[in-house]
Amino acid sequence: MQVIKNTVVSIHYSLKTINDVLIQDTAGYSPEIYLHGAGNILAGLEEALNGKMAGDEAEVLIHPSEAFGEREDHLLIQINNEDLPDLDNLQTGDLIQLPDGREGVLLEKNNDFSVVDTNHPLAGETLVYHLSIVDIRPATEDEIQAGTPLQESKSCS
């Protein structure tokens, strides 16, 4: 069976940056499972898997525009220190939650304000997936309606 819209696909993968920094690897774990064509995974990755068969392996290069976008300067924000609880316990590089619910990385602590990067951590990165397709099966009507496999659901991102 081929990977086509409305198939449930199980894959193993390793994800690295173009500079060979390992981000994630499913070796030794259960494969990731997604519903093809439902937007459950990165668009560039889904497109690369179209037409593949169980047992196929592939290396897929995904540019920022097909992944997490380019880094955007306007997502570097200044926030008043009084709006950051426990600032004294935070270090630069820490992932923090902002009062509006966004997350970001604390870049700089000043006397009155701090600078937080709210870009996705992989924004601006070209990603390299090494993939192995483990299994493909037709999705059930319930899965198609739900937009996700109804067994353990994970995303490749």
Side-chain angles (χ1 to χ4, degrees):
M1 170 172 257
Q2 284 188 312
V3 175
I4 58 172
K5 184 175 178 151
N6 295 329
T7 55
V8 175
V9 183
S10 302
I11 59 173
H12 273 295
Y13 67 91
S14 68
L15 170 59
K16 296 180 179 184
T17 66
I18 194 78
N19 298 320
D20 208 34
V21 175
L22 181 65
I23 297 167
Q24 191 171 18
D25 192 342
T26 63
Y29 297 96
S30 297
E32 297 281 338
I33 302 167
Y34 77 97
L35 177 61
H36 195 78
N40 296 157
I41 62 173
L42 296 174
L45 184 58
E46 191 167 65
E47 183 178 325
L49 289 168
N50 272 326
K52 300 283 189 223
M53 308 275 291
D56 284 354
E57 294 188 8
E59 181 174 291
V60 181
L61 188 72
I62 306 212
H63 297 283
S65 62
E66 298 173 310
F68 298 100
E70 296 294 343
R71 296 192 57 73
E72 298 183 34
D73 289 341
H74 76 274
L75 294 176
L76 297 175
I77 61 170
Q78 290 184 0
I79 187 163
N80 290 327
N81 286 344
E82 62 194 33
D83 294 331
L84 292 174
D86 296 326
L87 182 62
D88 291 337
N89 296 324
L90 297 174
Q91 303 295 320
T92 56
D94 285 351
L95 181 65
I96 62 172
Q97 185 161 0
L98 300 175
D100 65 5
R102 289 183 292 173
E103 289 185 338
V105 175
L106 181 62
L107 296 181
E108 188 179 315
K109 290 172 31 174
N110 298 301
N111 289 335
D112 298 322
F113 67 91
S114 293
V115 178
V116 179
D117 182 355
T118 62
N119 280 286
H120 187 282
L122 295 175
E125 294 284 351
T126 297
L127 305 175
V128 181
Y129 278 89
H130 297 272
L131 299 157
S132 175
I133 300 173
V134 176
D135 189 42
I136 307 164
R137 67 169 174 80
T140 65
E141 283 302 316
D142 288 342
E143 290 171 322
I144 294 167
Q145 291 299 317
T148 187
L150 295 179
Q151 53 196 14
E152 185 177 355
S153 178
K154 299 178 183 176
S155 66
C156 305
S157 54

